[in-house]
Amino acid sequence: MQLHNVKTQFLLPARFNSRDTVSINYRRFMLYLRDDIAAAIEGDIVEVRFLWNDEAIAQNHSVRLNSFPGQTLSMLELIEDRIEQLPCTVVVCETSKSACSVAIVTPTPQLIHKMINEMICPNKFTLPVIYDHNCSAQTFITQRLSSIETEDI
Amino acid sequence: MDSEFYIVSRKQDVRLALTQEQFKELKRARKRLSSAYAISHKHRLVLSNYKLILEAMRSLGEQYARQDDIKAIEDGKARLNANINNYVLSARIFTSQLKRHVQTCVPQDRELVNVLSRKMESEYKRSFAFRFIDSLYDYVAHYGLSIHTIKMKTEMKQNDAGLFERLYYINAFIEKDYIGGPAEFRASVFDEVSGTLDLIKMLTTFNQSLKRLHDQAMELIQDVFVKANELVNEFIGVFVSEYGNEHANLFVVHGTRMSSDKVYDTFPISMYVNNHNFGREYV
């Protein structure tokens, strides 16, 4: 069902589409790069997963996970600030009950590894975990979107 | 018992005497009109609840898009669930009472009721949505929760002027995994459920079935309805010609001559023939 004439101050970056799944015992908010932009980007994916610490999990629970969209935007802003000088682009940024994750497409994954290793872990999270994915931005987005339907989040 | 029968105005200031036979005719006619209107009232109740669901979904989607009021979001989820439960309940009221209303209109014609029975069986067999929403009543009555998942989606699309704008979507889903098992849901229908069901798609299809049943029922009682309407109008016409148009809101009474307070039976008649809540097809 489409919503018309939506008035909101909560503005998402124009480069991204979004998905938000709210169920009885899980929630997942995801920003993903528009297809016309993702198609033009080359490189491999480095995914950085920031797991929530116990205190943050309790806070998230207290607001019934309704802070996820805002937290996703904050994480996107933080990472984009860090990679501003690097040849890379955030492809997916998403928040679930377990983690806040950022997937970055880059021709030089080692630069992302170095940047993450040097950054101070943001509040609310434990040390980040890094995953390398040998796939394109479009393929990664497709995988993440299909996982919304099947994954136990 | 020294009975008297009469038509009286709402202010009780003027009355027209009836014979017992006339009283019975009016009572029968009123019962038929009442049943006919009940069919349409209950159908409209379902459709109104459907509109409330759409409004609640729209409102909830806007709250999610705004992200500025957690309480409004949580209230919106509860409101959507309540509206769906009301819909499911009103649909069950409609389907469970439909044959009875038709039978009241045509008690002497069993075949007409059988036509409706066959139509209802046919809708149940042909439409998964009909079977599912009908079964959902039992589940909702037991558990109180009608939907399990809400999904919001936004997409940037180019408009006619070539500018990108964000489009917002919301959908609600019922998930088989959360229903539980055949113990919580009609087993034969539960087996048919595959994964996730889009609520609005199901309700849209179900509404089409209900409309077909409503139209079939109204067609079956059409002749009886018209005759009952004419009869009541005739009596109102006599009353109005005697006392004037200011006494057009009338009631039929079975009382006793011994005491003006003692009333055995009374019912309205003008509210059926002068009912402006329905289209011309029913009047």
Side-chain angles (χ1 to χ4, degrees):
Chain A
M1 173 180 164
Q2 187 175 352
L3 305 172
H4 297 281
N5 302 317
V6 174
K7 304 277 187 293
T8 176
Q9 303 295 313
F10 185 76
L11 300 176
L12 302 174
R15 307 182 306 288
F16 293 95
N17 294 329
S18 74
R19 294 285 178 92
D20 193 359
T21 303
V22 184
S23 192
I24 292 169
N25 59 346
Y26 69 85
R27 173 86 186 258
R28 181 170 167 188
F29 181 85
M30 178 165 86
L31 290 173
Y32 60 99
L33 214 53
R34 268 169 29 206
D35 197 51
D36 59 309
I37 300 174
I41 299 175
E42 291 185 355
D44 289 330
I45 301 288
V46 178
E47 183 188 2
V48 187
R49 204 171 291 173
F50 296 90
L51 300 174
W52 296 110
N53 63 29
D54 290 344
E55 190 184 347
I57 287 172
Q59 281 175 358
N60 291 340
H61 187 74
S62 72
V63 292
R64 300 199 192 183
L65 314 185
N66 282 307
S67 56
F68 284 6
Q71 282 161 333
T72 307
L73 276 186
S74 299
M75 179 58 76
L76 177 69
E77 199 174 304
L78 175 73
I79 296 298
E80 287 196 323
D81 187 51
R82 297 300 177 103
I83 64 174
E84 198 176 1
Q85 306 300 323
L86 301 177
C88 54
T89 307
V90 172
V91 173
V92 170
C93 189
E94 59 185 314
T95 303
S96 69
K97 276 169 89 169
S98 59
C100 203
S101 302
V102 188
I104 303 161
V105 63
T106 175
T108 52
Q110 67 278 12
L111 289 180
I112 302 299
H113 282 253
K114 185 167 180 290
M115 180 272 288
I116 295 296
N117 287 328
E118 287 174 353
M119 81 182 270
I120 297 167
C121 184
N123 286 338
K124 300 185 179 180
F125 299 101
T126 61
L127 286 177
V129 185
I130 302 176
Y131 301 88
D132 289 305
H133 299 274
N134 186 21
C135 64
S136 69
Q138 277 183 305
T139 303
F140 184 80
I141 289 169
T142 304
Q143 286 172 355
R144 297 309 292 157
L145 287 175
S146 68
S147 75
I148 292 175
E149 309 302 328
T150 56
E151 203 171 304
D152 185 16
I153 308 160
Chain B
M1 183 178 72
D2 194 11
S3 290
E4 65 173 352
F5 306 92
Y6 55 90
I7 299 176
V8 66
S9 64
R10 193 175 190 190
K11 289 179 185 168
Q12 310 268 333
D13 50 355
V14 282
R15 61 170 65 179
L16 180 73
L18 297 172
T19 65
Q20 186 171 7
E21 190 52 38
Q22 287 172 323
F23 174 84
K24 284 181 180 172
E25 278 180 30
L26 278 169
K27 187 167 180 171
R28 193 159 44 240
R30 180 260 182 173
K31 206 170 177 185
R32 289 170 175 179
L33 292 174
S34 167
S35 292
Y37 278 122
I39 293 170
S40 277
H41 274 303
K42 287 169 184 173
H43 185 233
R44 295 203 327 178
L45 195 61
V46 180
L47 297 182
S48 295
N49 279 325
Y50 176 69
K51 283 182 184 168
L52 288 173
I53 290 172
L54 296 182
E55 283 172 22
M57 274 184 70
R58 196 171 297 121
S59 169
L60 181 60
E62 286 169 0
Q63 291 297 342
Y64 274 118
R66 284 202 280 272
Q67 285 294 316
D68 60 356
D69 190 342
I70 290 171
K71 186 175 182 306
I73 288 174
E74 294 305 317
D75 288 349
K77 286 196 289 192
R79 183 170 157 236
L80 174 59
N81 190 58
N83 285 324
I84 298 166
N85 287 5
N86 286 341
Y87 173 95
V88 171
L89 174 61
S90 63
R92 172 59 70 88
I93 289 172
F94 176 77
T95 55
S96 67
Q97 300 289 316
L98 191 58
K99 273 198 282 186
R100 183 182 301 176
H101 289 317
V102 170
Q103 199 159 13
T104 301
C105 289
V106 288
Q108 75 290 1
D109 196 340
R110 190 68 209 163
E111 181 49 31
L112 287 183
V113 180
N114 290 340
V115 169
L116 183 63
S117 295
R118 287 195 291 273
K119 182 78 175 167
M120 292 181 81
E121 285 164 17
S122 155
E123 290 296 340
Y124 192 87
K125 280 180 188 162
R126 75 190 271 195
S127 168
F128 168 67
F130 191 94
R131 293 191 293 279
F132 182 82
I133 299 298
D134 190 58
S135 311
L136 190 62
Y137 170 83
D138 302 321
Y139 175 72
V140 163
H142 171 71
Y143 192 48
L145 187 70
S146 46
I147 50 163
H148 304 116
T149 303
I150 295 160
K151 293 184 181 179
M152 267 71 56
K153 180 172 84 171
T154 75
E155 286 179 346
M156 295 296 288
K157 296 269 183 184
Q158 272 183 304
N159 61 21
D160 293 342
L163 300 172
F164 275 95
E165 63 179 343
R166 190 170 295 281
L167 306 182
Y168 294 81
Y169 303 87
I170 182 171
N171 290 87
F173 297 90
I174 301 151
E175 299 197 45
K176 184 174 188 175
D177 290 343
Y178 288 116
I179 289 175
E184 281 85 23
F185 208 84
R186 194 177 300 161
S188 59
V189 181
F190 183 77
D191 289 342
E192 293 182 82
V193 179
S194 57
T196 300
L197 299 173
D198 185 312
L199 175 79
I200 297 302
K201 282 183 187 167
M202 298 298 288
L203 296 185
T204 305
T205 308
F206 184 67
N207 281 344
Q208 291 164 357
S209 285
L210 292 194
K211 182 176 187 319
R212 283 192 289 271
L213 291 177
H214 168 267
D215 292 351
Q216 173 77 82
M218 293 309 288
E219 190 185 322
L220 292 172
I221 62 170
Q222 179 71 15
D223 289 346
V224 167
F225 179 85
V226 168
K227 281 178 188 155
N229 203 55
E230 284 171 357
L231 180 87
V232 173
N233 258 328
E234 204 177 310
F235 277 93
I236 291 174
V238 171
F239 194 97
V240 167
S241 66
E242 182 87 16
Y243 298 111
N245 264 325
E246 65 271 29
H247 299 297
N249 194 4
L250 305 179
F251 298 79
V252 174
V253 178
H254 171 198
T256 171
R257 290 191 180 87
M258 303 298 288
S259 163
S260 58
D261 296 338
K262 183 76 174 172
V263 170
Y264 296 114
D265 193 4
T266 181
F267 52 88
I269 50 174
S270 299
M271 68 173 278
Y272 297 108
V273 293
N274 292 322
N275 192 321
H276 55 264
N277 292 307
F278 293 97
R280 292 181 60 81
E281 65 271 26
Y282 300 128
V283 181

